[in-house]
Amino acid sequence: MMTRIRNAVVPVLRSIKTPHRNDRRILIRSTNNHRFASTNANTTQRAPTSRLRRSVHFVPGDNPKFLSKSLTLGADTLVLDLEDSVKDKELGRRTVKNFLDSHPYGRERTSEILVRINPLGGSYWQQDIESTFLNADGFMVPKVESREELRMLDEFLLRLERREGSTLPKVLLPIATETPLAVMNIADIARGPRVCAITWGCEDLSAELGSYGTRDQSSNEYFDIFRHCRNMCLLAAKAAGVNAIDGIYQNVRDTAGFEKESMDAKYMGFDGKLTLHPNQISALHKLFEPTIEELISAKEIVELWEGGDGRGAVEHQGKMIDMPHYMRAKKIMARCRDFNGDATSVVVAKNEDETKQPSQSSNTAHLDNDEVFPRVCMGKYFEDLEPGLTIRHFLTRTVTESDNVFFTCLTMNPAPIHLDHELSKGNTAALSGGTNINSNTGKPLFNSMFTLALLVGMSVPEATHGTTVANLGFSEVLFPKPVYPGDTLRAETVVLDRRESKSRPTQGIVTLQHLAYNQRGEVVCKATRQALMKKSTL
């Protein structure tokens, strides 16, 4: 096995310039997550793990119908498969590329999209990555056996990112138990570069072991060796600070079995589960949300502990509660995005919704101003904005010449490069570095202040809507490429840093980097700003 992998990766390593030893990444261990620090600004960072990955759903890469439908399923992560489910690798690769190219980042891309490449020991994986690189969020890596393989893959991706001018690193999700050696190295694999999560599988492992099956036919429980792999996946992920994703449930018709195994995964501590059938996605999301009873119990434990008299343990429902129980209760409360700190009120509201059926006129008569004009907050609070978090915004905008003329006149800017078509003919050539004539020749250059304002505006819904107190200023604004009427822009936000406010205990300061891309994937605006953000009620 190792000889086969070495033969495959040596040509790749020879084509990649090895960084100086002083630029090597240093793994920094912190309380909540890990990231790579380096003196080399182009070095890949540790992948953020704050994204929800409750459902990680497989889609055959050679089936255009399934690929198109996948965007409507509501899965947190989609895995476009080029490995086991695809026989004709070239067809699958071409189909996935066409799908990604026709569905760039924007309103339709609410799910994280990974591509499952073929094993690193074979001859297909490089083509898999190169053909899908531009519009994939990252890659699922099968049959990984060591962290060294992930380092090799990291260098290969870094080379592509430099070549394509990509500003956001691709993430990796290894399947970390498909060979005996992988199981022995799973802790190292989980700490590999770019790893955002790890998962486990037993079908390939059972073939390597010569097993006759993976489950006891009478109880439907995994055999001990495969339960061990499941446990090791969870432990390795949590030790490395990445998401732990439970394996598939093969029988897609056995709803009861799927729900039981998913509930077990939730209580064990897994962050999500692999899914094979669309019906499994919504069921999984419901199962992974804390129940009302769980929230009430967690709230009571937190109140008992925080309101105690300094004793190291308190009693709750006949059981002794100490620090680990308190920390677990806090995590349960944080998992529920709609939980407002008062679980009892949630239960009361639910019961009232089920029992009250007042007339429409009486409803309207008793609504106060906040109910008539509901205060909807779609943004993220200070606690949610962890450094490394990347948000791809759903709003897109095709800018028009009327936008440019109106904004330029509104701001009393008489610069002819924004208004004069004849002057713009020469200006377009100057911007291209010579006398290049292209489709933008003669178009006035877009007012860059409009581009900046549009970028910040498109970032609001998922980042700061209803949760920002004030914009404290911009530390960097760059316009790497020009914008012309007819260009379509999309936006991304990366959280660079956050810190507590010394004078405002209910607020904090977050540094955000906003990026605007045109329809060709070129960065047309990069803005770094500091925002004063609200903290959540929790």
Side-chain angles (χ1 to χ4, degrees), residues 52-58 76-77 79 116 140 173-178 186 196-203 215 220-223 225-238 242-250 256-276 280 284 287-288:
L52 276 178
R53 294 187 178 92
R54 299 163 297 178
S55 54
V56 180
H57 185 68
F58 283 109
D76 293 329
T77 299
V79 179
R116 177 158 76 160
M140 177 176 279
L173 199 167
I175 307 176
T177 64
E178 292 191 304
I186 190 169
C196 63
I198 63 170
T199 187
W200 75 285
C202 58
E203 298 302 328
R215 294 177 184 265
N220 200 35
E221 297 292 336
Y222 282 113
F223 292 123
I225 182 64
F226 304 115
R227 281 205 300 269
H228 171 73
C229 295
R230 189 188 196 193
N231 295 338
M232 288 301 297
C233 176
L234 177 61
L235 292 170
K238 298 302 179 177
V242 301
N243 289 154
I245 309 299
D246 194 25
I248 61 170
Y249 190 80
Q250 192 78 35
F258 172 77
E259 291 182 351
K260 179 184 181 302
E261 186 166 288
S262 299
M263 188 61 73
D264 289 345
K266 168 187 169 181
Y267 274 87
M268 288 174 68
F270 280 96
D271 300 290
K273 187 172 178 64
L274 303 179
T275 59
L276 297 174
Q280 295 177 333
L284 190 61
L287 289 167
F288 265 76

Side-chain angles (χ1 to χ4, degrees), residues 44 78 92 98 102 132 168 224 254 265 293 345 350 444 456 471 489:
T44 305
L78 296 171
N98 291 340
S102 61
T132 61
L168 296 175
D224 286 347
D254 181 10
E293 293 76 13
S345 66
K350 180 180 178 183
V456 174
N471 180 25
L489 305 186

Side-chain angles (χ1 to χ4, degrees), residues 497-522:
D497 190 25
R498 71 176 182 188
R499 62 181 175 86
E500 300 281 345
S501 172
K502 295 180 180 178
S503 60
R504 299 169 181 256
T506 62
Q507 299 163 12
I509 298 172
V510 179
T511 301
L512 304 169
Q513 183 183 79
H514 303 299
L515 298 161
Y517 296 84
N518 61 20
Q519 66 274 19
R520 293 178 294 277
E522 300 168 330

Side-chain angles (χ1 to χ4, degrees), residues 422-444:
E422 287 302 313
L423 180 143
S424 298
K425 293 179 180 178
N427 193 56
T428 304
L431 285 171
S432 66
T435 58
N436 181 43
I437 304 298
N438 56 42
S439 60
N440 290 317
T441 299
K443 292 183 179 180

